[in-house]
């Protein structure tokens, strides 16, 4: 968490210098600086959650330098309030299948270039992991026979367990363990720091057409798995994929609870961000 904050602050001050603002010391940081940053982040069309997170980080920074309360709510630092308004329910289907894409079609080329990245993509697809969770996973230690223990890289530091219910999950986990011979290592090759690996990971993904510009992201594999869980429980595709489906409300709630637990969220309502809501 602290490393992430430091990176946000470093990038923010770099952007301020590029905009022509010169800060000789931290005491010179004023509210108009965050206003300038908010406007440039909005112009770059960063997501609402990203802009909110960056403003929140600078709010903490302002408290550190003795200026609590200086930075107000996020909508004060953008031209359009909707730029920092998060939509809990998904508006767009982010699964690969919605774009007629299949991970198998990309894996051979990715494996030839970097087998670690290929396997991390499969871990995301098989278990609904975030990129960081897949990268920091220790496959030997995480394999508990009937479930996967996710202890590193989780959002908010919330550990969780993911039931192992499919042969695909068992196969992918076995492949990960075979690739990582050292039982104490994660899925990141030893020569990389996490930051270096993250940059390399997204670089390789972009080379193979896995980016927002291309219409699919590695995070879409997490969406794919969570939608798969919904369909396995309800017998129907989620409302985001088929809003006309007649879905049993009790099964819908059961599915949302399972999705929240597998995804590592505390509230079933967060499932709406992956499968949509029943109209």
């Amino acid at each position: 968490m602290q490393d992430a904050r430091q990176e946000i602050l470093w990038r923010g001050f770099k952007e301020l210098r590029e905009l022509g603002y010169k800060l000789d010391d931290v005491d010179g940081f004023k509210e108009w600086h965050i206003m300038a940053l908010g406007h440039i982040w909005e112009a770059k069309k960063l997501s609402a959650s990203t802009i909110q997170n960056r403003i929140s980080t600078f709010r903490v920074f302002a408290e550190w330098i003795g200026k609590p309360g200086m930075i107000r709510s996020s909508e004060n630092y953008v031209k359009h309030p909707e730029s920092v308004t998060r939509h809990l329910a998904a508006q767009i289907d982010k699964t690969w299948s919605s774009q007629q894409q299949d991970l198998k079609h990309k894996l051979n080329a990715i494996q030839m270039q970097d087998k670690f990245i290929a396997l991390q993509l499969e871990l995301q697809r098989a278990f609904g992991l975030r990129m960081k969770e897949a990268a920091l996973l220790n496959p030997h230690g995480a394999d508990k026979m009937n479930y996967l223990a996710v202890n590193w890289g989780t959002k908010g530091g919330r550990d969780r367990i993911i039931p192992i219910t499919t042969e695909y999950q068992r196969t992918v986990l076995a492949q990960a363990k075979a690739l990582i011979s050292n039982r104490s290592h994660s899925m990141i090759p030893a020569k990389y720091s996490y930051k270096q690996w993250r940059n390399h990971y997204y670089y390789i993904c972009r080379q193979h057409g896995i980016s927002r510009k291309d219409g699919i992201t590695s995070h879409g594999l997490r969406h794919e798995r969570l939608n798969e869980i919904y369909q396995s429980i309800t017998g129907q595709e989620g409302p985001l994929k088929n809003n006309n489906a007649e879905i049993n409300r009790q099964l819908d709630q059961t599915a949302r609870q399972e999705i929240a637990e597998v995804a590592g969220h505390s509230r079933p309502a967060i499932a709406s961000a992956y499968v949509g809501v029943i109209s």
Side-chain angles (χ1 to χ4, degrees), residues 111-139:
Q111 285 170 341
M112 292 289 291
Q113 192 167 4
D114 197 308
K115 55 189 176 181
F116 288 88
I117 291 176
L119 256 178
Q120 285 174 39
L121 288 167
E122 288 219 76
L123 285 166
Q124 289 178 259
R125 173 63 182 87
F127 295 99
L129 301 179
R130 301 178 178 93
M131 176 272 167
K132 189 174 184 179
E133 292 169 345
L136 295 179
L137 187 77
N138 171 355

Side-chain angles (χ1 to χ4, degrees), residues 162-267:
I162 299 176
I164 298 176
T165 59
T166 71
E167 284 303 313
Y168 176 56
Q169 288 175 322
R170 297 183 192 281
T171 298
V172 172
L173 187 53
Q175 291 173 342
K177 290 163 67 177
L179 181 63
I180 309 298
S181 57
N182 190 316
R183 299 180 66 87
S184 65
H185 280 193
S186 73
M187 293 296 298
I188 299 177
K191 66 179 182 179
Y192 291 92
S193 67
Y194 169 69
K195 182 179 178 181
Q196 291 170 331
W197 179 251
R198 182 189 61 197
N199 292 338
H200 173 67
Y201 170 94
Y202 284 118
Y203 172 74
I204 297 298
C205 282
R206 287 193 298 271
Q207 284 192 319
H208 293 273
I210 303 173
S211 70
R212 289 183 181 178
K213 183 181 74 173
D214 296 297
I216 57 171
T217 65
S218 64
H219 198 70
L221 296 171
R222 173 172 160 90
H223 283 251
E224 198 75 56
R225 173 55 185 156
L226 299 178
N227 272 267
E228 187 176 69
I229 291 172
Y230 185 91
Q231 186 166 0
S232 71
I233 293 173
T234 67
Q236 302 281 351
E237 289 184 327
L240 191 61
K241 287 183 171 294
N242 183 7
N243 202 33
N244 295 319
E246 294 184 7
I247 302 172
N248 180 286
R249 296 278 178 168
Q250 185 172 352
L251 290 177
D252 174 79
Q253 290 304 310
T254 300
R256 290 174 188 277
Q257 180 65 51
E258 180 68 13
I259 287 170
E261 292 175 2
V262 168
H265 293 289
S266 58
R267 297 174 295 131

Side-chain angles (χ1 to χ4, degrees), residues 6 22 24 27 53 70-71 98 112 122 125 153 155 168 176 194 229 233 239 266 273:
Q6 288 177 346
K22 296 181 180 180
D24 295 326
D27 287 335
N53 184 47
M70 183 182 78
I71 297 180
S98 69
M112 292 289 291
E122 288 219 76
R125 173 63 182 87
K155 195 170 185 178
Y168 176 56
Y194 169 69
I229 291 172
I233 293 173
S266 58

